[in-house]
Structures are given as C-alpha cells and as structure tokens.
Amino acid sequence: MGFASILSGHDTIECAYYLAPLPECSLNYEQLAVEKENLRQAKVRRPLAIKLGNEEFLLAANGTKSGYPFLIENDCFSIQFGEFNKPNFFVTFRSFALWQFGALALHRRFLAWAASVGFSTFQPERLSRVDFTFDYQIDAIDFDEDSFVTSSTKDKQFRKNRKVQTFGFGEGDVVLRLYNKVDEITEKSTKTWFFDLWGCAENVWRIEWQIRKTWLRTFGIQTFANLTERQGDLLRVLVNNHTSLRIPTDDSNRSRWPIHPLWADLQSRVAEMDGLGIVKELDPLALLEERETRMAISIYGYLKRLGAIQGIKRKTAEIGFEESLAFLQKKLTRTHDEFVWDNDVRRRYDEMRLGQW
C-alpha cells in the first residue's frame, strides 16, 4: 500500500473562558438582548451583523442548547456567552481558522477581542475538546476493521457502494476515526479548501482523535500552554497503547501482530512531537473528590438498609431519608469516642498525606 503524509494539526478546539468585566466594559447585554428579541419577533432566520470591539460577528436570534443566552459567530470563532453563566464564555475555534492561523494565535486573538470590549481573565482557560488530525494520501487501503487492535469496547464502520468510508472506535472522552476525507467533503461538507492545503483532491484518508475533558486533564492539559507542551505525551499513549493498526497473522495474540507501515509512520511522527515525558498526571484534589463521592454512595446504600430495618421493626415501608439520617446520627453519636476519633483521624490524615491512599 502506497501512502504519504500530507497534513496534520488541530481541526476542532472547544474552550471555556472565565472573564471579568472591567469598569470600561462596553459589552451591553441589555442592548444585545433587544437586538436578539427584534430578530425573533421579526421571524428573521438570518443573523444580524454587528461589531463588538475589534471584531465583527453575526448575532443569532436565539440562545444555545447549552444554556447560554447569546451566540455570536465569525470566520474564526463561535462564542456562546452570558452575564450570569459559569464559565461566562465558551468558544469553539473554527476549522478554517485553525488551519490558517493555528490554535495559539487564535487563543491570543480571542483574548485580544475580549480586552477590546473591556474584559480580563480572572482564572485560566479550560480546554474541553481537542481534535488531533493526521491526513494521508493512500493509493488503496489494504486493511479492514479486524486489523485494528484497540482498548475501545465499541467500534463502527460505514460503507457506501460496498466500499468502506469510515472506521470508528470508542465513544465519550476518546474517539478515533479513520475515514475517507475526500468522500466526506464531496458528500456533506463545504471544506473544499482542504484540496488546496493538500495539493490534491483524491484518496485522502484522515486519522482523527477526538479527545475530551477527562483525558485532557489526565495529561495535565487545561490551557493552551499545556496543550503546546504536552500534546505529544497524550498522542504517544493514544497511538501506541490505546489503538494501533496491525497486519493480521495466524498468531492468536493480536497484540503480537506486526504494526502496519501506515501506523508505524504515524507513531514516528507523534514521537517527534514536543512533550514532557508524562504518562499520566493525577490531580490530588480530583482523586479526593472521587473518593468522597464513592464513600457517599456507599453510605447512602447503608442508609437505605437502615431505613428498611426500621421499617421492618415498625411494619411499614414509609421510612423517609431524613428519618433514616436522624437514626444514623443517633447511632453514630452513641458510638463516638472523642479520644479515639482524634487519634484515628490524625493517623489516617498522615497515612493519606504520605501516599497511602
């Protein structure tokens, strides 16, 4: 199978911003609400062209499904925002702009726009989705869905006229797609400008990793600066450990199948990317919160059982949560010993603080 790498980069990025209005803030929420309502009342489907600060946008007549009252868009950004939303700005960076300017430049451009309407950041941005893409021109594919070795439990395949167009693996926080990008553009996309970027208009297949918040945080990727320095660490785990393309043999152990040359090329390109050598980065506070949640779920189960026991004693199933909680508190109070409590809590505190989770 002949192939050649022709393009790689980010195709979609979503990011939350936490911005505080300065005294000179010129973003008038009331005026925007009036403009939006006028559009709605006039039943105008087309958005309204407006200028805000140093950028021009199209103002949508409606809010967003995620609960933001305002949506403004231009060729670089789709910005959802609201005065009382937390975070108050949520930005999707458009594909065309990402390929034209790059992620870091667009991030800086958004912050420059925010400053032009009188906002400053009061806490770092938080990336919630990043799509990493690698485009290859491939003469003809010589693999099928059974050639992939993956840790994903779900996979899917799409065909047209008996020819495979898409291989898909995973869902949620990590999704891998390997698909015929030319077919996608021809059938349902306006992104014909990719043909100029590629220098060709046929036989281009895209390897695309769609990564969401949980996996980004696992590798310490929260800000654009984190993305720049750590994306290589994340991708190395994905292309080496999460999923790989193989050449099937008679060996029953699929992990021993030889790496397909296409995937070997991908691995070599990812190996050259910047990184900190991180395999996983753990957030201690997140670990504690997860443990608290698990303990609360366990206690909640015992509380139901206490309620059932009280119900049997009283020959009724009508035992409420508050009543069971009060009964548990009474039992705990009788069990409690101040001296034992202080000693045991301190001992557990030291054990956990020093690594015995």
Side-chain angles (χ1 to χ4, degrees):
M1 183 185 76
F3 64 86
S5 173
I6 54 178
L7 189 68
S8 63
H10 304 114
D11 195 60
T12 298
I13 292 181
E14 295 177 353
C15 186
Y17 287 89
Y18 301 80
L19 305 180
L22 300 172
E24 63 271 21
C25 181
S26 62
L27 191 65
N28 190 323
Y29 292 102
E30 292 183 2
Q31 181 61 37
L32 287 174
V34 170
E35 298 281 8
K36 192 179 75 168
E37 180 61 19
N38 288 340
L39 287 175
R40 194 184 68 81
Q41 291 288 351
K43 298 182 180 180
V44 176
R45 292 184 177 272
R46 293 186 300 274
L48 175 69
I50 60 173
K51 183 172 177 61
L52 296 173
N54 63 1
E55 296 272 0
E56 288 187 281
F57 297 95
L58 293 174
L59 172 66
N62 300 101
T64 70
K65 293 181 180 179
S66 51
Y68 287 90
F70 300 106
L71 172 64
I72 55 176
E73 298 180 292
N74 62 16
D75 57 342
C76 291
F77 314 110
S78 175
I79 305 173
Q80 305 174 52
F81 65 100
E83 186 175 8
F84 304 108
N85 293 81
K86 294 182 180 179
N88 52 347
F89 287 82
F90 187 83
V91 181
T92 300
F93 295 89
R94 294 192 175 279
S95 175
F96 179 78
L98 283 168
W99 289 107
Q100 187 175 10
F101 303 112
L104 193 57
L106 284 180
H107 165 63
R108 291 169 178 161
R109 180 169 168 176
F110 172 77
L111 292 180
W113 169 76
S116 76
V117 291
F119 280 90
S120 66
T121 58
F122 66 88
Q123 67 182 67
E125 74 275 8
R126 294 180 185 174
L127 292 163
S128 60
R129 172 182 168 183
V130 180
D131 289 5
F132 302 94
T133 64
F134 300 85
D135 295 343
Y136 284 85
Q137 188 170 34
I138 302 175
D139 295 339
I141 64 171
D142 61 354
F143 51 84
D144 57 27
E145 68 276 12
D146 292 327
S147 303
F148 291 87
V149 175
T150 178
S151 59
S152 297
T153 56
K154 286 196 173 184
D155 64 80
K156 55 189 174 182
Q157 176 181 299
F158 297 103
R159 302 197 306 168
K160 182 178 181 180
N161 298 327
R162 304 180 66 83
K163 293 177 61 178
V164 176
Q165 287 184 310
T166 301
F167 301 100
F169 303 91
E171 59 182 353
D173 291 315
V174 180
V175 177
L176 167 64
R177 295 174 65 219
L178 196 159
Y179 60 102
N180 190 314
K181 186 64 177 177
V182 175
D183 284 356
E184 185 202 55
I185 293 173
T186 302
E187 293 175 14
K188 57 182 181 181
S189 175
T190 60
K191 298 181 179 181
T192 53
W193 42 267
F194 267 118
F195 299 153
D196 291 328
L197 288 179
W198 295 331
C200 62
E202 59 182 9
N203 299 329
V204 177
W205 286 72
R206 169 164 289 183
I207 302 171
E208 178 179 271
W209 292 95
Q210 181 186 105
I211 309 300
R212 294 188 180 273
K213 187 187 305 183
T214 300
W215 262 67
L216 292 173
R217 298 298 180 271
T218 297
F219 288 83
I221 299 174
Q222 175 170 294
T223 68
F224 280 89
N226 298 151
L227 178 64
T228 301
E229 68 181 5
R230 299 166 185 243
Q231 60 185 347
D233 296 320
L234 168 58
L235 285 166
R236 276 187 278 279
V237 170
L238 292 174
V239 303
N240 290 298
N241 305 114
H242 185 277
T243 301
S244 58
L245 178 62
R246 308 283 181 137
I247 300 174
T249 67
D250 294 333
D251 194 328
S252 59
N253 186 339
R254 293 161 55 88
S255 65
R256 289 198 291 261
W257 291 356
I259 298 291
H260 192 284
L262 172 65
W263 209 261
D265 184 84
L266 175 64
Q267 290 175 333
S268 67
R269 294 180 185 280
V270 168
E272 295 173 356
M273 297 176 67
D274 289 340
L276 300 179
I278 295 171
V279 176
K280 286 189 177 181
E281 181 167 290
L282 301 178
D283 182 348
L285 288 179
L287 291 175
L288 290 173
E289 288 173 1
E290 180 183 3
R291 174 163 288 196
E292 287 173 349
T293 300
R294 291 182 180 275
M295 292 172 67
I297 293 171
S298 179
I299 292 170
Y300 189 56
Y302 280 111
L303 193 60
K304 293 175 185 176
R305 189 171 293 274
L306 276 175
I309 291 172
Q310 289 300 301
I312 290 173
K313 287 180 177 180
R314 292 161 46 183
K315 297 183 179 179
T316 177
E318 302 300 322
I319 306 295
F321 171 78
E322 296 294 341
E323 189 176 357
S324 292
L325 194 61
F327 179 76
L328 175 61
Q329 186 173 10
K330 186 184 296 184
K331 288 285 187 182
L332 289 174
T333 300
R334 291 176 182 173
T335 306
H336 175 60
D337 181 290
E338 192 73 29
F339 178 76
V340 174
W341 173 272
D342 290 343
N343 284 339
D344 285 356
V345 169
R346 182 172 297 279
R347 175 175 56 80
R348 286 172 169 80
Y349 167 79
D350 288 334
E351 289 173 350
M352 296 181 70
R353 181 172 56 86
L354 297 174
Q356 294 187 14
W357 289 79

